[in-house]
Amino acid sequence: MDFDRLNGDLKELRRRNRGLGLAVGALAIGQIVALVVILNLLGSVRTLVVPPSLNKSFWVERDKASSEYLEQMGSFIAWLVLDVTPSSIDWKKDILLGYVEPEQHGALKTRQELEAARLKRINASTVFAPQQLVPSEDAQSVVVRGRLRTLVNGLETANDAKAYLVEFSYAGGRMHLKTFKEIPNAAP
């Protein structure tokens, strides 16, 4: 048996094992760094969305939306609820119910059906002209102020300054209508 050759082979195997150990250690450190980066990004992702028909960009996070998004959704919901005619209210009601929280769906559906029956019975239309939108990112709500014009049989019966609170909840990547109610029209 050649001890010099055996010692040389053992040294060579130890050197290879040391190199493989360093490679495994570097891979393990890389995995840990990647995990830390992923965990840091997980809670702080902000998606920027620019819809083609709107001229403002906005952001949406895990459970919040920007004030620009709240303004756009608030004016859209106000248009669906307040700018109606006897022929358009059923269509707008169906669109509106697609945005309502499941907990509020039944109550809002009943309210809108009663309003539709009333408008059709008296042949009334309402036209809402928003004049001010006051969003609150913390509350995920927007106050919509404007003039509500009511026409019965084509004749104007009212033209009043009104304010409405539109509250939203954001879940599952989608904005849901939580509350739509008239509030006193005091200046902010």
Side-chain angles (χ1 to χ4, degrees):
M1 186 181 252
D2 186 6
F3 288 110
D4 290 334
R5 186 173 168 196
L6 180 63
N7 282 337
D9 288 344
L10 284 174
K11 284 181 184 178
E12 178 65 26
L13 287 174
R14 286 185 186 129
R15 189 182 58 77
R16 283 187 189 172
N17 281 345
R18 217 178 3 258
L20 291 174
L22 289 174
V24 168
L27 289 173
I29 290 172
Q31 289 288 337
I32 290 170
V33 168
L35 181 63
V36 167
V37 168
I38 289 171
L39 290 176
N40 283 335
L41 289 177
L42 192 60
S44 66
V45 172
R46 181 180 279 187
T47 306
L48 291 177
V49 183
V50 182
S53 63
L54 302 173
N55 56 5
K56 287 185 179 179
S57 63
F58 50 83
W59 54 262
V60 177
E61 286 182 344
R62 185 181 328 169
D63 59 349
K64 283 193 169 191
S66 70
S67 58
E68 292 85 5
Y69 188 75
L70 293 170
E71 286 177 5
Q72 292 172 25
M73 284 299 294
S75 62
F76 175 65
I77 296 296
W79 175 75
L80 287 176
V81 174
L82 301 171
D83 202 14
V84 292
T85 65
S87 60
S88 72
I89 192 163
D90 289 327
W91 175 76
K92 286 188 174 184
K93 173 190 65 143
D94 292 338
I95 300 258
L96 176 69
L97 291 175
Y99 289 95
V100 176
E101 271 187 340
E103 297 84 18
Q104 305 299 324
H105 191 272
L108 191 62
K109 182 178 181 182
T110 302
R111 178 178 134 191
Q112 289 301 101
E113 286 174 349
L114 289 172
E115 182 66 11
R118 185 183 75 80
L119 284 179
K120 289 176 184 176
R121 186 180 70 247
I122 64 173
N123 192 28
S125 300
T126 58
V127 179
F128 185 71
Q131 296 171 333
Q132 183 184 29
L133 299 164
V134 183
S136 169
E137 283 183 25
D138 295 332
Q140 289 294 282
S141 66
V142 62
V143 173
V144 182
R145 289 187 175 86
R147 299 208 66 82
L148 182 66
R149 188 173 166 218
T150 305
L151 301 144
V152 176
N153 289 323
L155 299 172
E156 185 175 307
T157 59
N159 190 350
D160 301 320
K162 300 274 187 175
Y164 297 91
L165 174 65
V166 186
E167 292 180 312
F168 297 101
S169 63
Y170 188 79
R174 197 163 167 211
M175 185 67 76
H176 296 280
L177 176 62
K178 192 163 142 183
T179 307
F180 184 91
K181 63 183 177 183
E182 185 176 351
I183 59 172
N185 190 21

